[in-house]
Amino acid sequence: MPHDTTLIGTVVAGLGVAFLMGALAQRVKISPIAGYLLAGILVGPFTPGFVADTGLAMQLAEIGVILLMFGVGLHFSLKDLLSVRKIAVPGAIAQIAVASGLGIALGLWLGWSVAGSAVFGLALSVASTVVLLRALQARDMVETEKGRIAVGWLIVEDLAMVLALVLLPAMFGSRGDEGQGAGLLQSAGIVLFKVVAFVAFMAVIARRVLPWVLHWVAHTGSRELFRLAVLAIALGVAFGAAVVFDVSFALGAFFAGMILGETQLSRRAAEETLPLRDAFAVLFFVSVGMLFDPMVLVEQPGPVIATVAIIVVGKSVAAYWIVRAFGHGSQTAMTVSVSLAQIGEFSFILAGLGVGLQVLPETGRDLILAGSLLSILFNPIFFTLAVKRIRSEDASGAEAEAAAPASDAPAPCNAGVVLIGFGRVGSHIGTLVCGRGEGLTVIEDQKDMAAAAEKAGARVIVGDATKESILRQAGIEDASTLLIAIPEGVEAGAIVRKARAINARLVIVARAHSDEEVDDLVRRGADHVVMAERVTAARMAERAMLARA
């Protein structure tokens, strides 16, 4: 070809093979993440066939981290962050210390220097942003107390790693020589000053400018400009934070999202970034797979097992008991500990820096990469087991509560009608149903709309209606009618199929925007499908005929 196609080839290979492997993983009922990691191995430099550009893949994956943290920030207020500071700050520091200590012990046992072992230990102590957030979002836990603690913990870990990345060159120079104490203190002071300056800038200046820009763009009426503005703010703030203040891309994007999350346009901003966020998050897992050399499993099985044990067992046990020590229940401790039982992007950066400074041996980098891939592969399994344990405890608690003597507590709402979505269409439906005095349960994943539904008198379940657990929580087994008011046809089809499997007698009324969607929803089990265009056309024709009569 007459021009360079490295970037295009990397994107096409990454997404194409990830789709095939993800679909295969879904087919055999394991996490798609396993498929994405396998896709990375297949297009990486350690397997035969096409080799994608690893450097480009890592940069594309960083965009996924930025958009993911931006999306979390949109649903995570400063109040939420401050509410968990008393456990997130000391807890994260204590957990980093424990994991680093275990890593140092393993490094010394393998014959490395104290400095190299310390870098190795630090790399094993910090969790992956993408993996943690994907796990929480998949289970609708981001906005729960458990999720807020985990995200706050992650933010503290990110700040600690930013400090480590700056201090390592100051300590060991460019050739592994230890630096002077005065220079080390000066470097630490500069880092802390820049972090404080960044937070102050975002709180004082960006908090006024960014919402104003977004509102101005929204008033232009151009959806294209709005989408462009959201992406420019997310990527621009993240890049500026890294260049000017030397903080991580993830931290900059998180603060940008948190500021815009205080505006009424936060939901729309989240919707505009969702497709790109998911696509680039997939490239993150592909890039991890590309770095993995499968031969390390054959050549160093013992050290690999020990590394994975530190990540999966050592970190988890430490986090569990730290959370328990702060007075939180076993469910919160279990969620936080399992979500942190993996490593990712910061670990790669630390490993690369350690090798470049001639402090960490290349063997250490290989073990970190192996530990990352295997812990990410196992994490969805452990998370599923943890969720099952939590639900089992909830069920036991519910049975005990049911067996207890009756009290003056109000009886649970008997919702005969379940409504999915409380947007423009759903809010009108909800008003009519509640106005007739019928019991109504609304499932909504946006906090502002959930609050509006609650104000209208409905019982509200905050979560993703495509998940069977959320449908059951809404009482779909005993409901008489299910009204699906969301505009997304694919999600509506999934809801219809799962609801019909749970309750065969349920009357399902859904919304569609095309003949294909109507046919798909009916095929999946919907009793009635309302196509807005048909209803509008019929009413307009009826009005026209009446006007001519």
Side-chain angles (χ1 to χ4, degrees):
M1 291 186 181
H3 55 280
D4 187 14
T5 59
T6 306
L7 175 60
I8 297 175
T10 299
V11 173
V12 170
L15 294 180
V17 180
F19 166 71
L20 295 175
M21 294 298 102
L24 179 62
Q26 188 79 25
R27 182 70 176 175
V28 298
K29 299 187 182 303
I30 62 175
S31 171
I33 290 176
Y36 306 151
L37 292 170
L38 178 58
I41 296 175
L42 293 177
V43 301
F46 301 105
T47 53
F50 176 82
V51 178
D53 190 302
T54 305
L56 282 177
M58 291 298 293
Q59 292 187 47
L60 292 171
E62 197 69 63
I63 296 177
V65 175
I66 291 171
L67 294 177
L68 193 67
M69 285 300 285
F70 177 74
V72 171
L74 287 172
H75 299 96
F76 206 93
S77 67
L78 183 60
K79 181 181 178 182
D80 292 334
L81 189 60
L82 294 176
S83 68
V84 298
R85 69 186 185 280
K86 292 182 180 179
I87 181 175
V89 175
I93 293 173
Q95 182 252 305
I96 289 173
V98 172
S100 297
L102 293 173
I104 290 171
L106 177 59
L108 293 176
W109 180 72
L110 293 172
W112 303 343
S113 67
V114 174
S117 301
V119 173
F120 181 71
L122 276 176
L124 300 186
S125 69
V126 56
S128 165
T129 299
V130 177
V131 178
L132 185 148
L133 294 178
R134 285 287 291 267
L136 293 176
Q137 288 174 340
R139 295 161 181 83
D140 297 303
M141 289 184 175
V142 174
E143 297 178 36
T144 64
E145 181 192 32
K146 308 178 188 71
R148 287 194 293 269
I149 292 174
V151 173
W153 199 298
L154 184 70
I155 295 298
V156 177
E157 286 189 348
D158 279 3
L159 288 172
M161 292 307 110
V162 168
L163 185 63
L165 290 173
V166 175
L167 293 184
L168 281 176
M171 292 173 65
F172 302 106
S174 60
R175 300 179 62 182
D177 302 322
E178 295 190 9
Q180 300 296 321
L184 184 62
L185 290 175
Q186 183 180 7
S187 298
I190 292 174
V191 172
L192 293 175
F193 172 77
K194 287 184 175 180
V195 170
V196 172
F198 168 69
V199 174
F201 174 81
M202 296 300 292
V204 177
I205 300 177
R207 196 173 186 180
R208 291 172 171 79
V209 175
L210 296 184
W212 177 84
V213 171
L214 205 61
H215 277 285
W216 179 84
V217 174
H219 288 153
T220 65
S222 171
R223 184 172 184 177
E224 180 180 327
L225 275 180
F226 184 85
R227 184 183 296 117
L228 186 60
V230 172
L231 292 174
I233 289 173
L235 298 174
V237 172
F239 184 76
V243 172
V244 178
F245 298 99
D246 285 331
V247 302
S248 66
F249 288 129
L251 190 64
F254 176 79
F255 270 87
M258 197 163 58
I259 287 172
L260 294 185
E262 298 176 356
T263 71
Q264 295 181 346
L265 296 170
S266 60
R267 183 175 186 273
R268 185 178 170 190
E271 291 174 347
E272 296 295 347
T273 58
L274 184 60
L276 277 177
R277 185 183 72 191
D278 288 346
F280 281 105
V282 168
L283 286 176
F284 166 79
F285 293 108
V286 174
S287 69
V288 173
M290 291 174 64
L291 296 172
F292 178 66
D293 183 0
M295 288 304 298
V296 74
L297 300 176
V298 178
E299 297 171 352
Q300 304 183 64
V304 168
I305 293 174
T307 301
V308 174
I310 291 173
I311 299 168
V312 174
V313 180
K315 284 178 61 179
S316 293
V317 172
Y320 179 88
W321 288 111
I322 290 169
V323 175
R324 293 286 282 160
F326 278 87
H328 290 269
S330 61
Q331 294 187 5
T332 299
M334 198 180 305
T335 302
V336 173
S337 63
V338 172
S339 64
L340 296 171
Q342 37 76 24
I343 61 174
E345 54 273 14
F346 264 119
S347 304
F348 310 148
I349 298 172
L350 277 170
L353 180 60
V355 171
L357 294 173
Q358 300 179 17
V359 173
L360 178 70
E362 292 190 4
T363 303
R365 181 183 59 190
D366 294 338
L367 291 177
I368 290 170
L369 292 173
S372 173
L373 186 139
L374 293 174
S375 64
I376 290 174
L377 183 63
F378 295 147
N379 192 254
I381 300 173
F382 294 144
F383 226 119
T384 300
L385 294 175
V387 170
K388 286 183 178 179
R389 175 69 181 273
I390 290 172
R391 288 176 181 168
S392 175
E393 292 181 1
D394 287 340
S396 300
E399 290 176 3
E401 187 176 337
S407 65
D408 295 331
C413 176
N414 181 21
V417 180
V418 175
L419 171 64
I420 311 297
F422 207 76
R424 290 183 299 174
V425 175
S427 58
H428 288 295
I429 297 174
T431 301
L432 292 172
V433 173
C434 289
R436 292 202 302 260
E438 297 186 38
L440 176 67
T441 297
V442 174
I443 302 179
E444 176 58 66
D445 61 357
Q446 299 296 323
K447 288 193 296 185
D448 54 344
M449 294 185 179
E454 200 167 40
K455 187 177 180 181
R459 172 175 174 249
V460 179
I461 304 296
V462 179
D464 182 359
T466 62
K467 300 186 182 305
E468 182 179 331
S469 59
I470 296 297
L471 291 174
R472 292 187 180 277
Q473 188 179 345
I476 203 71
E477 303 100 319
D478 303 317
S480 61
T481 307
L482 172 64
L483 304 174
I484 304 175
I486 59 173
E488 295 84 8
V490 175
E491 287 81 354
I495 294 169
V496 169
R497 178 176 58 81
K498 293 179 181 179
R500 178 59 70 205
I502 296 172
N503 186 345
R505 302 181 306 276
L506 187 68
V507 176
I508 302 177
V509 183
R511 169 188 176 191
H513 291 282
S514 67
D515 293 331
E516 291 79 8
E517 286 185 3
V518 172
D519 294 339
D520 180 65
L521 291 168
V522 171
R523 185 169 58 252
R524 290 175 180 268
D527 297 290
H528 308 284
V529 181
V530 179
M531 184 173 168
E533 288 78 1
R534 290 178 181 173
V535 175
T536 302
R539 290 297 301 272
M540 291 181 70
E542 179 185 345
R543 292 290 181 181
M545 295 298 292
L546 289 174
R548 292 176 57 186

